């Protein structure tokens, strides 16, 4: 794993584009529904706050042994969400978010599965996600991407894992 900036990848319906600060305005609208934060906490960010966060994320981790790989998801001509991976060595912790208007269409499952395949192709041998115990949709996404419950818990979330 050497590139500080992730490579783009695609699935049948989605393009995963490396995060850029310029996506903040459009992503602020994608992430604007407070329902997105029911299980993760937090609240929607305005475009300025999102630009600042994206600037930090695209600058990369201050730890040279850790990579922050972030992608926005494009379906057709608009953004619909994001996926991300924190990569240390050959292991990655992943997350995904799809905006409320695009939920229920299989985009999250497709994005998470594409991300797992992309990471495996880049040399990752183990993938972990943390899922809130009441978030059935995220559990289904994780299972669809090949991850399985571990019975291990961290900060009130269950760890799901896939080892290649």
């Amino acid at each position: 794993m050497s590139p500080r900036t992730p490579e783009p990848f695609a699935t049948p319906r989605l393009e995963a584009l490396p995060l850029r600060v310029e996506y903040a305005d459009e992503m602020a609208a994608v992430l604007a529904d407070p329902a997105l934060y029911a299980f993760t906490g937090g609240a929607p960010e305005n475009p300025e706050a999102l630009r600042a966060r994206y600037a930090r994320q695209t600058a990369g981790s201050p730890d040279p042994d850790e990579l922050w790989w972030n992608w926005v998801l494009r379906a057709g001509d608009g953004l619909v969400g994001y996926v991300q991976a924190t990569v240390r060595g050959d292991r990655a912790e992943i997350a995904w978010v799809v905006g409320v208007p695009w939920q229920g269409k299989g985009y999250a499952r497709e994005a998470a599965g594409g991300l797992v395949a992309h990471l495996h192709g880049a040399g990752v041998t183990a993938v972990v996600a943390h899922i809130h115990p009441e978030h059935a949709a995220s559990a289904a996404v994780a299972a669809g991407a090949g991850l399985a419950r571990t019975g291990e818990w961290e900060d009130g979330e269950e760890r799901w894992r896939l080892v290649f």
Side-chain angles (χ1 to χ4, degrees):
M1 288 335 106
S2 59
R4 300 291 304 163
T5 303
E7 294 293 322
F9 65 94
T11 67
R13 298 181 300 158
L14 298 168
E15 287 180 89
L17 307 170
L19 181 66
R20 293 190 343 228
V21 173
E22 294 79 23
Y23 293 130
D25 288 342
E26 187 174 356
M27 285 300 294
V30 170
L31 304 174
D33 192 322
L36 277 178
Y37 308 90
F39 295 104
T40 60
E45 293 179 285
N46 64 40
E48 295 77 26
L50 207 51
R51 273 193 291 280
R53 179 159 55 101
Y54 287 0
R56 288 188 306 275
Q57 288 176 320
T58 57
S61 172
D63 180 346
D65 295 327
E66 181 175 86
L67 299 172
W68 292 349
W69 284 352
N70 298 277
W71 298 263
V72 295
L73 301 170
R74 181 180 305 284
D77 61 357
L79 300 179
V80 300
Y82 67 85
V83 292
Q84 59 188 38
T86 300
V87 182
R88 286 187 76 73
D90 62 353
R91 300 184 178 280
E93 290 200 19
I94 65 170
W96 54 85
V97 173
V98 170
V100 171
W102 301 277
Q103 291 179 4
K105 302 176 189 311
Y107 286 135
R109 182 178 287 209
E110 186 174 327
L115 175 61
V116 166
H118 179 72
L119 292 169
H120 182 58
V124 168
T125 63
V127 176
V128 171
H130 301 270
I131 309 291
H132 188 282
E134 296 174 18
H135 201 323
S138 278
V141 168
L147 285 76
R149 286 186 154 100
T150 65
E152 301 167 3
W153 294 82
E154 183 178 327
D155 295 328
E157 295 182 319
E158 186 171 12
R159 183 175 289 132
W160 289 62
R161 179 177 296 123
L162 171 62
V163 177
F164 298 101

Tab-separated table of all heavy atoms in Angstrom, residues 44-71:
chain	number	residue	atom	x	y	z
A	44	PRO	N	-25.694	16.980	10.291
A	44	PRO	CA	-25.211	17.439	8.986
A	44	PRO	C	-24.266	18.624	9.131
A	44	PRO	O	-24.435	19.458	10.017
A	44	PRO	CB	-26.496	17.857	8.265
A	44	PRO	CG	-27.589	17.123	8.964
A	44	PRO	CD	-27.155	17.011	10.394
A	45	GLU	N	-23.272	18.664	8.240
A	45	GLU	CA	-22.314	19.777	8.235
A	45	GLU	C	-22.643	20.709	7.077
A	45	GLU	O	-23.046	20.255	6.001
A	45	GLU	CB	-20.891	19.263	8.069
A	45	GLU	CG	-20.403	18.448	9.263
A	45	GLU	CD	-18.991	17.939	9.060
A	45	GLU	OE1	-18.813	16.991	8.281
A	45	GLU	OE2	-18.075	18.512	9.677
A	46	ASN	N	-22.427	22.002	7.292
A	46	ASN	CA	-22.617	22.946	6.199
A	46	ASN	C	-21.433	22.813	5.240
A	46	ASN	O	-20.423	22.179	5.557
A	46	ASN	CB	-22.802	24.374	6.728
A	46	ASN	CG	-21.573	24.886	7.447
A	46	ASN	OD1	-20.436	24.654	7.040
A	46	ASN	ND2	-21.786	25.616	8.535
A	47	PRO	N	-21.552	23.388	4.043
A	47	PRO	CA	-20.469	23.235	3.063
A	47	PRO	C	-19.106	23.696	3.567
A	47	PRO	O	-18.098	23.051	3.276
A	47	PRO	CB	-20.941	24.077	1.881
A	47	PRO	CG	-22.430	24.045	1.971
A	47	PRO	CD	-22.719	24.064	3.457
A	48	GLU	N	-19.052	24.775	4.341
A	48	GLU	CA	-17.765	25.278	4.831
A	48	GLU	C	-17.108	24.260	5.770
A	48	GLU	O	-15.901	23.996	5.670
A	48	GLU	CB	-17.945	26.621	5.554
A	48	GLU	CG	-18.411	27.755	4.669
A	48	GLU	CD	-19.913	27.698	4.324
A	48	GLU	OE1	-20.709	27.114	5.102
A	48	GLU	OE2	-20.275	28.214	3.251
A	49	ALA	N	-17.884	23.704	6.692
A	49	ALA	CA	-17.346	22.706	7.621
A	49	ALA	C	-16.919	21.445	6.871
A	49	ALA	O	-15.888	20.845	7.176
A	49	ALA	CB	-18.376	22.363	8.694
A	50	LEU	N	-17.700	21.070	5.879
A	50	LEU	CA	-17.349	19.887	5.094
A	50	LEU	C	-16.077	20.129	4.286
A	50	LEU	O	-15.223	19.242	4.184
A	50	LEU	CB	-18.517	19.508	4.193
A	50	LEU	CG	-18.638	18.054	3.783
A	50	LEU	CD1	-18.582	17.109	4.972
A	50	LEU	CD2	-19.920	17.833	3.001
A	51	ARG	N	-15.920	21.337	3.740
A	51	ARG	CA	-14.677	21.661	3.021
A	51	ARG	C	-13.475	21.538	3.949
A	51	ARG	O	-12.439	20.985	3.560
A	51	ARG	CB	-14.732	23.072	2.435
A	51	ARG	CG	-15.357	23.137	1.059
A	51	ARG	CD	-15.127	24.478	0.375
A	51	ARG	NE	-15.854	25.571	0.991
A	51	ARG	CZ	-17.146	25.824	0.790
A	51	ARG	NH1	-17.844	25.075	-0.020
A	51	ARG	NH2	-17.727	26.837	1.394
A	52	ALA	N	-13.603	22.031	5.172
A	52	ALA	CA	-12.495	21.937	6.126
A	52	ALA	C	-12.192	20.471	6.458
A	52	ALA	O	-11.029	20.072	6.522
A	52	ALA	CB	-12.833	22.704	7.399
A	53	ARG	N	-13.234	19.657	6.647
A	53	ARG	CA	-13.013	18.234	6.937
A	53	ARG	C	-12.363	17.550	5.740
A	53	ARG	O	-11.417	16.770	5.895
A	53	ARG	CB	-14.320	17.542	7.304
A	53	ARG	CG	-14.092	16.054	7.573
A	53	ARG	CD	-15.172	15.403	8.391
A	53	ARG	NE	-16.510	15.518	7.899
A	53	ARG	CZ	-17.150	14.549	7.248
A	53	ARG	NH1	-16.556	13.398	6.990
A	53	ARG	NH2	-18.398	14.731	6.866
A	54	TYR	N	-12.841	17.840	4.552
A	54	TYR	CA	-12.258	17.223	3.355
A	54	TYR	C	-10.803	17.648	3.163
A	54	TYR	O	-9.978	16.860	2.709
A	54	TYR	CB	-13.088	17.547	2.118
A	54	TYR	CG	-14.413	16.811	2.037
A	54	TYR	CD1	-14.815	15.910	3.024
A	54	TYR	CD2	-15.263	17.017	0.976
A	54	TYR	CE1	-16.020	15.233	2.935
A	54	TYR	CE2	-16.479	16.355	0.871
A	54	TYR	CZ	-16.851	15.465	1.853
A	54	TYR	OH	-18.045	14.801	1.757
A	55	ALA	N	-10.479	18.877	3.504
A	55	ALA	CA	-9.083	19.322	3.414
A	55	ALA	C	-8.206	18.501	4.355
A	55	ALA	O	-7.104	18.082	3.978
A	55	ALA	CB	-8.973	20.806	3.736
A	56	ARG	N	-8.686	18.249	5.573
A	56	ARG	CA	-7.920	17.423	6.521
A	56	ARG	C	-7.796	15.988	6.013
A	56	ARG	O	-6.726	15.390	6.064
A	56	ARG	CB	-8.589	17.417	7.901
A	56	ARG	CG	-8.460	18.725	8.657
A	56	ARG	CD	-8.953	18.621	10.096
A	56	ARG	NE	-10.313	18.119	10.232
A	56	ARG	CZ	-11.419	18.863	10.149
A	56	ARG	NH1	-11.322	20.165	9.930
A	56	ARG	NH2	-12.620	18.323	10.301
A	57	GLN	N	-8.905	15.445	5.512
A	57	GLN	CA	-8.876	14.058	5.050
A	57	GLN	C	-7.975	13.881	3.830
A	57	GLN	O	-7.229	12.909	3.757
A	57	GLN	CB	-10.297	13.571	4.730
A	57	GLN	CG	-11.137	13.360	5.965
A	57	GLN	CD	-12.570	12.981	5.632
A	57	GLN	OE1	-13.178	13.520	4.697
A	57	GLN	NE2	-13.117	12.065	6.405
A	58	THR	N	-8.040	14.800	2.893
A	58	THR	CA	-7.214	14.653	1.692
A	58	THR	C	-5.740	14.925	1.970
A	58	THR	O	-4.874	14.456	1.231
A	58	THR	CB	-7.712	15.558	0.547
A	58	THR	OG1	-7.734	16.912	0.990
A	58	THR	CG2	-9.093	15.140	0.076
A	59	ALA	N	-5.448	15.652	3.044
A	59	ALA	CA	-4.048	15.861	3.437
A	59	ALA	C	-3.424	14.555	3.933
A	59	ALA	O	-2.210	14.384	3.871
A	59	ALA	CB	-3.941	16.939	4.507
A	60	GLY	N	-4.263	13.652	4.416
A	60	GLY	CA	-3.778	12.350	4.853
A	60	GLY	C	-3.474	12.302	6.334
A	60	GLY	O	-3.392	13.319	7.018
A	61	SER	N	-3.308	11.097	6.788
A	61	SER	CA	-3.023	10.853	8.197
A	61	SER	C	-1.661	11.420	8.573
A	61	SER	O	-0.707	11.317	7.805
A	61	SER	CB	-3.031	9.350	8.471
A	61	SER	OG	-2.577	9.079	9.784
A	62	PRO	N	-1.544	11.974	9.776
A	62	PRO	CA	-0.225	12.412	10.240
A	62	PRO	C	0.692	11.224	10.557
A	62	PRO	O	1.901	11.393	10.655
A	62	PRO	CB	-0.534	13.231	11.490
A	62	PRO	CG	-1.874	12.791	11.937
A	62	PRO	CD	-2.606	12.325	10.718
A	63	ASP	N	0.101	10.042	10.682
A	63	ASP	CA	0.862	8.815	10.930
A	63	ASP	C	1.309	8.253	9.586
A	63	ASP	O	0.469	7.846	8.775
A	63	ASP	CB	-0.014	7.813	11.678
A	63	ASP	CG	0.697	6.506	11.985
A	63	ASP	OD1	1.772	6.230	11.410
A	63	ASP	OD2	0.153	5.742	12.809
A	64	PRO	N	2.602	8.210	9.301
A	64	PRO	CA	3.051	7.734	7.985
A	64	PRO	C	2.729	6.260	7.717
A	64	PRO	O	2.764	5.825	6.571
A	64	PRO	CB	4.563	7.976	8.009
A	64	PRO	CG	4.921	8.064	9.448
A	64	PRO	CD	3.721	8.598	10.164
A	65	ASP	N	2.370	5.507	8.764
A	65	ASP	CA	2.022	4.095	8.590
A	65	ASP	C	0.532	3.887	8.372
A	65	ASP	O	0.071	2.747	8.291
A	65	ASP	CB	2.477	3.282	9.806
A	65	ASP	CG	3.993	3.264	9.943
A	65	ASP	OD1	4.689	3.288	8.898
A	65	ASP	OD2	4.478	3.230	11.085
A	66	GLU	N	-0.212	4.969	8.269
A	66	GLU	CA	-1.658	4.871	8.119
A	66	GLU	C	-2.098	5.672	6.906
A	66	GLU	O	-1.672	6.808	6.719
A	66	GLU	CB	-2.332	5.411	9.385
A	66	GLU	CG	-3.832	5.351	9.378
A	66	GLU	CD	-4.388	5.794	10.713
A	66	GLU	OE1	-4.586	7.012	10.907
A	66	GLU	OE2	-4.602	4.921	11.566
A	67	LEU	N	-2.948	5.076	6.093
A	67	LEU	CA	-3.483	5.746	4.912
A	67	LEU	C	-4.955	6.037	5.124
A	67	LEU	O	-5.698	5.187	5.604
A	67	LEU	CB	-3.322	4.860	3.670
A	67	LEU	CG	-1.894	4.488	3.286
A	67	LEU	CD1	-1.899	3.467	2.161
A	67	LEU	CD2	-1.127	5.737	2.887
A	68	TRP	N	-5.361	7.238	4.777
A	68	TRP	CA	-6.772	7.596	4.780
A	68	TRP	C	-7.223	7.638	3.335
A	68	TRP	O	-6.899	8.554	2.587
A	68	TRP	CB	-6.992	8.960	5.411
A	68	TRP	CG	-6.724	9.028	6.875
A	68	TRP	CD1	-6.519	7.998	7.738
A	68	TRP	CD2	-6.644	10.217	7.649
A	68	TRP	NE1	-6.321	8.471	9.001
A	68	TRP	CE2	-6.391	9.838	8.979
A	68	TRP	CE3	-6.761	11.567	7.357
A	68	TRP	CZ2	-6.253	10.759	10.003
A	68	TRP	CZ3	-6.625	12.484	8.378
A	68	TRP	CH2	-6.389	12.077	9.685
A	69	TRP	N	-7.987	6.653	2.941
A	69	TRP	CA	-8.512	6.585	1.583
A	69	TRP	C	-9.999	6.877	1.626
A	69	TRP	O	-10.768	6.185	2.289
A	69	TRP	CB	-8.249	5.218	0.971
A	69	TRP	CG	-6.829	5.015	0.544
A	69	TRP	CD1	-5.823	5.927	0.494
A	69	TRP	CD2	-6.245	3.789	0.091
A	69	TRP	NE1	-4.667	5.365	0.035
A	69	TRP	CE2	-4.893	4.043	-0.225
A	69	TRP	CE3	-6.737	2.511	-0.088
A	69	TRP	CZ2	-4.039	3.072	-0.704
A	69	TRP	CZ3	-5.885	1.527	-0.565
A	69	TRP	CH2	-4.554	1.814	-0.875
A	70	ASN	N	-10.413	7.906	0.919
A	70	ASN	CA	-11.804	8.357	0.894
A	70	ASN	C	-12.244	8.567	-0.547
A	70	ASN	O	-11.490	9.131	-1.350
A	70	ASN	CB	-11.946	9.686	1.646
A	70	ASN	CG	-11.574	9.561	3.100
A	70	ASN	OD1	-12.390	9.150	3.905
A	70	ASN	ND2	-10.345	9.908	3.449
A	71	TRP	N	-13.461	8.134	-0.832
A	71	TRP	CA	-14.038	8.280	-2.162
A	71	TRP	C	-15.456	8.815	-2.039
A	71	TRP	O	-16.183	8.458	-1.105
A	71	TRP	CB	-14.142	6.939	-2.876
A	71	TRP	CG	-12.893	6.211	-3.155
A	71	TRP	CD1	-12.178	6.204	-4.340
A	71	TRP	CD2	-12.185	5.304	-2.286
A	71	TRP	NE1	-11.093	5.369	-4.235
A	71	TRP	CE2	-11.067	4.805	-2.977
A	71	TRP	CE3	-12.385	4.869	-0.972
A	71	TRP	CZ2	-10.169	3.904	-2.429
A	71	TRP	CZ3	-11.486	3.972	-0.411
A	71	TRP	CH2	-10.394	3.501	-1.141
